[in-house]
Amino acid sequence: VVLGVARDVLHAVISSEIGAFKDLTVELLTVFVFIELFHSLTEYVRFRRIRVTTLIDASLAFVLREMWIGMYSGHMDWRMLAALSGLIQRIVDGAARSGRHWTAGRRRDSLQRVAKPFLTHPDMVATGGTVRVANGCEVTDGFLTKVGLPTNIWALFQVVEYLRAFLFGRLGWSKINAMLIISGAFGLFRTDVVTAVGGYRANTIGEDMELVVRIHRMLRQQGKTYRIEFVPEPVCWTEAPEDWKTLKNQRVRWQRGLSETLASNWGLMFSRNGGPPGWLAFPFMLLFEWLGPLLELGGYLFMVYAYAFGLISWSAFFVFLFMAIGLGILLSASGLLLEEMSFHMYPKFRQLAMLTLVVVMENFGYRQLNSWWRLLGLYRWAMQGESSWGEMKRKGVGQAPKKL
């Protein structure tokens, strides 16, 4: 299957045909089906049992694959599409009812949960929990009492962003001990380790990420065994910006902080003892996060120029846009799916419908605007402009806000 995917990728790039992209997509979905089936097999070998939720995962991957094939072939009418959509809804509902979720009432034990890895692993040096957007929620005495969605479009976009970043990104890096960032809003560190590496630095505006990367670099250089772990269950709720100027300042600051972190810790990348952090996570951050906005916006401009001057065909231009936007939708949808199957924080159908709509909408304008802001942060770092947080407007999250 993997060889088939590689073959179809090459064929899609060379031919620029829509049919080739269809074959590639089917192969990728088939890989996901095989992964879930292999997961079921390994679980049975280890425990002599298979959980219902594991079978649900495999079923969901298979149904999504069949829907994609049917829509591409044109053999699926609206009745079949509605029926399969209902089947997916029942599968997801079954996963939620099987006990793989946490209710908002359990947020009071977040500190205990994020501290638990230190008790079970003596080599644990830092842990971080999930951060979610509190806009639209009800908070009483510092604790979340009711989950809701914001009505502000900027905050809605950030709900999907946070789901994607924490459930789809950090969860994976944590598995190979290569997580390079623990949110400053919700992290726990061993005091002796933080003191030994020099503590937080005052000359950077991305001090949370810089500290984690420096811990990786220095402990790797010393050859010490350690663990830095992401714990998805404990949740910290934060207020997200609701106006574009504040959001712009935040994203410019984040990109500058990323630039300062990578520039001050080059020694980690491809070092002899770098391991997964130095050989996988650091290059990934460098290519896709640090240079990502330059490559993305540059790619859009180049393809528009090439199409306008007849250097590429319409089909090639369409495939580029389809893959660029489709990949963004796929990543965001995966984060939303993980949230629904694991935590089920948004139980109402209208909330899921709204988030699904935002998953698609954010790729038509918001993602490109975000890339522009990040490119601006990269430019200001390169020009060594004045480093500051900028104005951060906060409305406060209180009792019974208007919510969807």
Side-chain angles (χ1 to χ4, degrees):
V1 175
V2 175
L3 291 177
V5 171
R7 179 198 62 207
D8 289 337
V9 169
L10 183 62
H11 179 55
V13 172
I14 294 176
S15 65
S16 298
E17 296 177 357
I18 299 299
F21 180 71
K22 168 195 168 185
D23 294 337
L24 171 61
T25 307
V26 171
E27 292 283 1
L28 286 172
L29 291 173
T30 304
V31 169
F32 283 115
V33 173
F34 272 101
I35 289 174
E36 294 300 338
L37 291 176
F38 182 75
H39 183 202
S40 303
L41 178 63
T42 55
E43 183 173 286
Y44 178 77
V45 171
R46 290 180 61 190
F47 304 109
R48 289 294 184 268
R49 63 176 177 80
I50 300 178
R51 291 177 297 176
V52 174
T53 51
T54 303
L55 296 179
I56 288 175
D57 294 344
S59 302
L60 187 61
F62 181 78
V63 173
L64 288 174
R65 177 182 180 274
E66 294 304 307
M67 286 183 64
W68 187 272
I69 294 174
M71 287 188 293
Y72 251 118
S73 64
H75 296 153
M76 181 178 294
D77 60 12
W78 68 271
R79 299 177 186 85
M80 180 60 71
L81 186 61
L84 289 176
S85 299
L87 178 60
I88 289 179
Q89 194 275 333
R90 296 307 302 167
I91 290 174
V92 172
D93 183 64
R97 293 176 184 275
S98 66
R100 295 176 62 189
H101 66 278
W102 304 94
T103 62
R106 298 193 182 187
R107 299 312 97 197
R108 292 178 179 270
D109 64 351
S110 291
L111 287 177
Q112 292 94 321
R113 289 186 177 276
V114 82
K116 185 177 179 180
F118 288 90
L119 304 178
T120 56
H121 300 286
D123 55 353
M124 189 69 61
V125 299
T127 59
T130 301
V131 178
R132 293 177 184 263
V133 173
N135 304 53
C137 301
E138 293 184 20
V139 178
T140 303
D141 297 329
F143 292 101
L144 187 82
T145 56
K146 194 171 185 179
V147 176
L149 284 179
T151 54
N152 180 275
I153 187 62
W154 298 108
L156 268 174
F157 283 138
Q158 292 171 82
V159 171
V160 174
E161 280 185 308
Y162 276 64
L163 290 177
R164 181 176 62 243
F166 284 90
L167 298 183
F168 194 77
R170 300 187 190 184
L171 190 60
W173 289 120
S174 177
K175 292 296 183 182
I176 58 174
N177 197 29
M179 186 171 64
L180 296 187
I181 181 171
I182 291 177
S183 174
F186 193 24
L188 201 61
F189 296 83
R190 273 183 51 180
T191 304
D192 58 334
V193 173
V194 173
T195 303
V197 301
Y200 285 108
R201 286 185 174 170
N203 60 347
T204 178
I205 56 176
E207 65 281 348
D208 47 4
M209 180 180 183
E210 198 283 328
L211 175 62
V212 177
V213 176
R214 184 156 29 101
I215 288 175
H216 275 295
R217 177 172 60 85
M218 299 188 71
L219 294 185
R220 288 277 171 181
Q221 289 176 349
Q222 298 169 11
K224 293 184 177 180
T225 301
Y226 70 96
R227 292 168 64 97
I228 295 178
E229 189 171 298
F230 172 67
V231 189
E233 292 88 357
V235 176
C236 171
W237 298 81
T238 185
E239 182 184 0
E242 291 192 346
D243 65 281
W244 73 271
K245 289 185 178 180
T246 305
L247 183 59
K248 171 190 172 184
N249 290 337
Q250 183 191 66
R251 299 313 161 94
V252 169
R253 185 180 78 248
W254 284 0
Q255 192 67 20
R256 290 199 60 166
L258 171 65
S259 303
E260 293 169 353
T261 296
L262 298 182
S264 61
N265 291 280
W266 283 116
L268 177 62
M269 187 168 66
F270 300 139
S271 61
R272 174 182 295 183
N273 297 323
W279 287 83
L280 293 177
F282 200 103
F284 177 89
M285 284 288 182
L286 181 69
L287 182 61
F288 295 103
E289 297 294 338
W290 189 54
L291 297 178
L294 180 63
L295 296 176
E296 181 177 357
L297 296 179
Y300 285 128
L301 292 176
F302 173 78
M303 293 301 290
V304 170
Y305 171 84
Y307 175 71
F309 287 89
L311 301 179
I312 60 173
S313 64
W314 162 249
S315 60
F317 182 66
F318 176 79
V319 168
F320 167 78
L321 288 180
F322 190 88
M323 292 189 68
I325 295 175
L327 182 60
I329 294 176
L330 178 63
L331 292 176
S332 297
S334 299
L336 179 58
L337 186 62
L338 285 173
E339 139 65 27
E340 178 61 18
M341 298 184 68
S342 302
F343 301 100
H344 200 50
M345 284 288 185
Y346 304 100
K348 297 181 180 179
F349 175 77
R350 60 181 177 179
Q351 292 175 331
L352 288 178
M354 177 60 72
L355 289 176
T356 302
L357 179 62
V358 173
V359 162
V360 178
M361 287 176 52
E362 69 161 350
N363 291 276
F364 296 91
Y366 175 74
R367 196 180 88 184
Q368 291 76 19
L369 180 62
N370 207 347
S371 295
W372 170 250
W373 290 335
R374 293 169 59 200
L375 185 61
L376 181 61
L378 188 61
Y379 171 78
R380 290 182 180 177
W381 168 79
M383 294 294 101
Q384 296 298 309
E386 182 181 355
S387 177
S388 65
W389 271 57
E391 183 182 4
M392 298 297 293
K393 296 180 181 179
R394 302 289 187 185
K395 294 172 57 177
V397 180
Q399 298 280 353
K402 184 181 179 181
K403 54 186 181 299
L404 294 175

